[in-house]
Amino acid sequence: MERIDRFRRGATGALLLASLVAARLAAAGTPAALTITIDDARDFARLGGFLDYTVTLANAGGVDATGVVLANAFPPQLDPAYTTWVCLPSGVGATCTESGSGPLEDANLSIPVGNSLTWLVHAPVRVDATGESVDNAVSATWNSTTVNALDSDALVIFREGFDTPYGDGS
């Protein structure tokens, strides 16, 4: 009987070890889970004003994402000639182009597990912009998977709060 109990205890330990190993292998095989956001913290865009976007691309998956491509479907209401951006990587191994001008586009990005990349984009709204809104969309592609995000602001000529310094009309 004692021999059977010892066998059961040994078998339970072996099963526990096997399940822990299986769980670690499953986590390691989990693909990168990229998420992307874009936000300018406003609801309205004034003709001739500026929009300051924060774009964040994060990896919450189980493997590092390398060779990621970021693209910006730059809206015609913004002026690409005077748009600038900078990238701020978080964590060791996260890499991106340091800065640029024009629509936000970056390639060959590296985002280790649990890290992110953040871009600060400063874009002027054209004085002759037309349409009802400024719809700024970004996307990131890695291994045939694309994630998208959109920020939309109503385009206005004048709105309460725009007549004050740093007023955003929100």
Side-chain angles (χ1 to χ4, degrees):
M1 188 66 120
E2 182 181 329
R3 196 169 165 191
I4 292 173
D5 286 340
R6 232 186 271 153
F7 175 75
R8 284 185 187 153
R9 282 193 300 260
T12 303
L15 287 174
L16 180 60
L17 179 62
S19 7
L20 288 173
V21 169
R24 287 197 178 227
L25 287 174
T30 304
L34 297 180
T35 59
I36 191 167
T37 60
I38 181 172
D39 188 26
D40 66 0
R42 295 178 181 226
D43 295 323
F44 303 95
R46 180 176 51 90
L47 295 175
F50 290 89
L51 295 176
D52 292 309
Y53 295 96
T54 301
V55 177
T56 303
L57 180 59
N59 179 4
V63 298
D64 297 348
T66 57
V68 179
V69 176
L70 181 78
N72 184 194
F74 204 73
Q77 293 86 0
L78 300 180
D79 191 343
Y82 299 101
T83 297
T84 58
W85 51 267
V86 296
C87 181
L88 308 169
S90 77
V92 175
T95 60
C96 55
T97 303
E98 218 173 272
S99 62
S101 60
L104 175 59
E105 294 184 3
D106 207 347
N108 204 25
L109 306 170
S110 293
I111 312 166
V113 174
N115 287 322
S116 63
L117 299 171
T118 299
W119 290 266
L120 304 177
V121 181
H122 181 71
V125 180
R126 299 175 63 92
V127 294
D128 60 349
T130 59
E132 295 179 8
S133 64
V134 177
D135 300 323
N136 199 351
V138 291
S139 64
T141 304
W142 180 72
N143 280 357
S144 304
T145 301
T146 301
V147 292
N148 302 293
L150 173 73
D151 181 86
S152 186
D153 300 309
L155 188 59
V156 296
I157 296 172
F158 177 79
R159 173 136 177 107
E160 177 91 21
F162 281 122
D163 58 340
T164 60
Y166 309 108
D168 68 358
S170 297

